[in-house]
Amino acid sequence: MPLEKPAVLLAGIAPEIALAATALALLIADAIFGKPGNRWFLSVVSTIGLGLSIYLALTGWLDLEGPRLQLAGMVAVDGFATFVKVTLASFGLLTVWLSREYLSRHNMEEAEFYGLVLFAVAGMMLMAGAADLIMMFLALETFSIALYVLVGFRRRSLESQESAMKYFLLGAFSSAFFLLGIAFAYGAVGTTSLYGTADSPGIFSFVNSSPFDSGGLLVIASGLLIIGLGFKVAAVPFHMWTPDAYQGAPSPVTGFMAAATKLAGFAAVLRLLEVSLFPLRVEWRPLVIGVAVLTMVVGSVLAVVQDDLKRLLAYSSIAHAGFVFTGVIATSDRGVSGALFYLATYGLTVVGAFAIIAALSGREERRVRISDYRGLFDEHPLMAGALTLFLLSLAGVPLTSGFVGKLLVFGAAVEAGYSWLVVVGVLASAIAAFFYLRVMVAMYMQEREEAAEPTRFGPLATGVVALTAAATVFFGLLWSPLIEAAEKATFFAGG
């Protein structure tokens, strides 16, 4: 009797395959056709690959007409994964466009850079759809390794090399926690699948079915998994790598990390805690609450004393991770959709801010201190206005997308009975407003002490700033389309 071939469905990872194939094609094309000073096609091909991944993510979800598990139940194809994948690809597009002029100006334009960005986005997409802890770990390592190299891409900068090494060492440390959490979860349940199949129940089915004796082991596993993912989203006390990595990395990479890495990390946190480990919320919620409070307070307080703008935004990103955690703690559909909205709009805002920093930083990124932005309004009034808009959005000022994002996650927390946590978040936001105002005071009310090298904003950098600024205002005034998309990005327990 002939053996029946197993059905292999690749629609669930079609966007990731497209990005990996594009990255490999870039490397081959550059080896054959690439010449110094004539690598314009790298950004064009990267744009096509990212656009194709968006198309495949949308069509793959619509063609199935409902959530599915594919690849032996290891990949989920649902609204949540689709929303995150499309958002990640959008961040990748903005990064590619911004990097084109930055790399050309610093004589660093190489196919490897674009290939690493594509591989990083592919790994993050895979993490968004991971329905198995092993798949989640593979996705985590895929984009982490790419980011380690991207952080140290300024090879002539000792600061960049030091940042990459610190990031690598602490990233390996976090991976050990995550692997240990997988081991404990397997010991408790006998599987690493989040959902399971009809023949083999997963963690969700196991926890939901009946009382079990290994609950304590699974609680320990939950804590270890939260710690491992806490490193990736830059939550306190797992944030130590963030300021150095943000400061030493090329500015386009810093913006990409702040936006995309946080979204991918929280995608895993949400799928893990809000679905598979939801019945254990009484056990894991105190740990997440403690992390949220520390992250909001420590990130906001330490940002106040920073003079380097990239380090200031690094601590700001830490505080924003704490704000997102308030939506996670709510353990409700409103909390999940609010967290997704927050992460999408925060990513657009922070990419726009780092687009301005990348253009103004000059050779070897010498102009990154707050004092270097004195008199920016007189020199570049439009860019000063755009940076002001981004800072106001990060502070949560009304009529910006940042205000709507905080309103959603804080509202979900209040609805869940955590008003005191929202009070902590509001106080942290008030502290954050102070250091954002420091930058604005320097731009509008202080004069430059010495002549600076002329700065020219290329069309791509200007376009990225314009797009992100328009999105920041649009989603602050007309937020319904994005919120509706986030609300449709619901989880499922399928097989």
Side-chain angles (χ1 to χ4, degrees), residues 141 201 229 335 484:
E141 290 304 295
L229 293 173
E484 290 176 0

Side-chain angles (χ1 to χ4, degrees), residues 366-401:
R366 296 189 181 94
R367 295 177 58 190
V368 292
R369 302 182 69 83
I370 295 178
S371 58
D372 295 322
Y373 286 74
R374 292 175 178 172
L376 180 63
F377 178 74
D378 298 326
E379 183 182 355
H380 296 287
L382 292 179
M383 289 301 164
L387 183 57
T388 300
L389 174 64
F390 296 140
L391 294 175
L392 291 176
S393 180
L394 293 174
V397 174
L399 303 183
T400 65
S401 59

Side-chain angles (χ1 to χ4, degrees), residues 287-311:
L287 173 61
V288 177
I289 290 175
V291 169
V293 172
L294 283 174
T295 304
M296 288 187 289
V297 174
V298 172
S300 298
V301 171
L302 292 184
V304 172
V305 297
Q306 303 303 316
D307 291 324
D308 185 291
L309 188 55
K310 293 176 73 173
R311 291 184 70 89

Side-chain angles (χ1 to χ4, degrees), residues 15-69:
E16 292 88 331
I17 293 175
L19 290 177
T22 303
L24 294 175
L26 276 178
L27 298 176
I28 295 173
D30 182 61
I32 299 174
F33 306 109
K35 296 179 181 179
N38 187 28
R39 290 193 167 104
W40 57 270
F41 63 91
L42 297 176
S43 58
V44 174
V45 175
S46 300
T47 299
I48 294 173
L50 287 163
L52 179 61
S53 70
I54 293 176
Y55 171 78
L56 291 173
L58 291 173
T59 55
W61 163 237
L62 294 175
D63 289 346
L64 288 176
E65 298 181 351
R68 294 288 187 276
L69 289 175

Side-chain angles (χ1 to χ4, degrees), residues 75-441:
V75 174
V77 184
D78 55 10
F80 179 82
T82 302
F83 181 95
V84 176
K85 288 182 180 183
V86 171
T87 307
L88 287 170
S90 301
F91 293 158
L93 280 172
L94 294 173
T95 303
V96 165
W97 297 340
L98 177 60
S99 300
R100 171 71 178 89
E101 294 170 354
Y102 178 92
L103 296 174
S104 179
R105 185 170 65 249
H106 290 80
N107 297 319
M108 290 170 21
E109 191 169 23
E110 299 174 11
E112 290 80 3
F113 181 92
Y114 295 98
L116 287 167
V117 171
L118 294 179
F119 277 122
V121 175
M124 293 171 183
M125 284 184 170
L126 191 60
M127 194 163 185
D132 188 282
L133 292 177
I134 298 298
M135 182 64 74
M136 194 175 289
F137 176 74
L138 292 175
L140 183 72
E141 290 304 295
T142 298
F143 77 76
S144 294
I145 291 172
L147 288 176
Y148 298 152
V149 182
L150 286 171
V151 169
F153 208 78
R154 292 195 294 147
R155 292 188 291 270
R156 293 187 296 271
S157 170
L158 291 177
E159 180 182 62
S160 182
Q161 302 305 305
E162 180 185 352
S163 300
M165 182 57 67
K166 289 180 179 178
Y167 186 24
F168 167 72
L169 292 175
L170 289 173
F173 191 58
S174 69
S175 296
F177 277 103
F178 197 81
L179 277 175
L180 194 59
I182 293 176
F184 272 93
Y186 184 81
V189 182
T191 181
T192 56
S193 175
L194 300 184
Y195 298 107
T197 62
D199 300 326
S200 176
I203 296 174
F204 174 83
S205 305
F206 187 86
V207 176
N208 236 10
S209 58
S210 59
F212 51 92
D213 298 330
S214 53
L217 203 59
L218 194 56
V219 170
I220 296 174
S222 304
L224 292 170
L225 293 171
I226 291 171
I227 291 172
L229 293 173
F231 276 93
K232 295 305 174 186
V233 301
V236 177
F238 321 114
H239 68 290
M240 294 79 70
W241 60 272
T242 311
D244 291 326
Y246 278 36
Q247 184 180 22
S251 291
V253 175
T254 308
F256 177 66
M257 290 171 59
T261 305
K262 203 172 294 295
L263 175 56
F266 270 109
V269 169
L270 289 168
R271 191 179 291 277
L272 189 65
L273 298 184
E274 303 289 345
V275 179
S276 299
L277 300 175
F278 180 79
L280 296 178
R281 60 192 179 280
V282 175
E283 285 78 11
W284 58 253
R285 191 181 265 159
L287 173 61
V288 177
I289 290 175
V291 169
V293 172
L294 283 174
T295 304
M296 288 187 289
V297 174
V298 172
S300 298
V301 171
L302 292 184
V304 172
V305 297
Q306 303 303 316
D307 291 324
D308 185 291
L309 188 55
K310 293 176 73 173
R311 291 184 70 89
L312 185 151
L313 290 178
Y315 282 106
S316 167
S317 76
I318 293 170
H320 282 281
F323 300 143
V324 177
F325 267 121
T326 60
V328 177
I329 292 165
T331 58
S332 64
D333 290 341
R334 186 178 177 184
V336 173
S337 61
L340 289 176
F341 181 94
Y342 196 115
L343 291 163
T345 53
Y346 167 78
L348 292 171
T349 301
V350 78
V351 167
F354 277 105
I356 296 176
I357 294 174
L360 292 175
S361 59
R363 299 287 297 178
E364 302 299 328
E365 299 204 6
R366 296 189 181 94
R367 295 177 58 190
V368 292
R369 302 182 69 83
I370 295 178
S371 58
D372 295 322
Y373 286 74
R374 292 175 178 172
L376 180 63
F377 178 74
D378 298 326
E379 183 182 355
H380 296 287
L382 292 179
M383 289 301 164
L387 183 57
T388 300
L389 174 64
F390 296 140
L391 294 175
L392 291 176
S393 180
L394 293 174
V397 174
L399 303 183
T400 65
S401 59
F403 170 77
V404 180
K406 286 184 178 177
L407 191 65
L408 290 173
V409 294
F410 287 168
V414 170
E415 194 176 77
Y418 291 92
S419 301
W420 66 270
L421 186 62
V422 173
V423 172
V424 175
V426 171
L427 293 176
S429 298
I431 297 172
F434 171 77
F435 56 77
Y436 294 132
L437 286 173
R438 284 181 59 205
V439 182
M440 288 185 268
V441 167

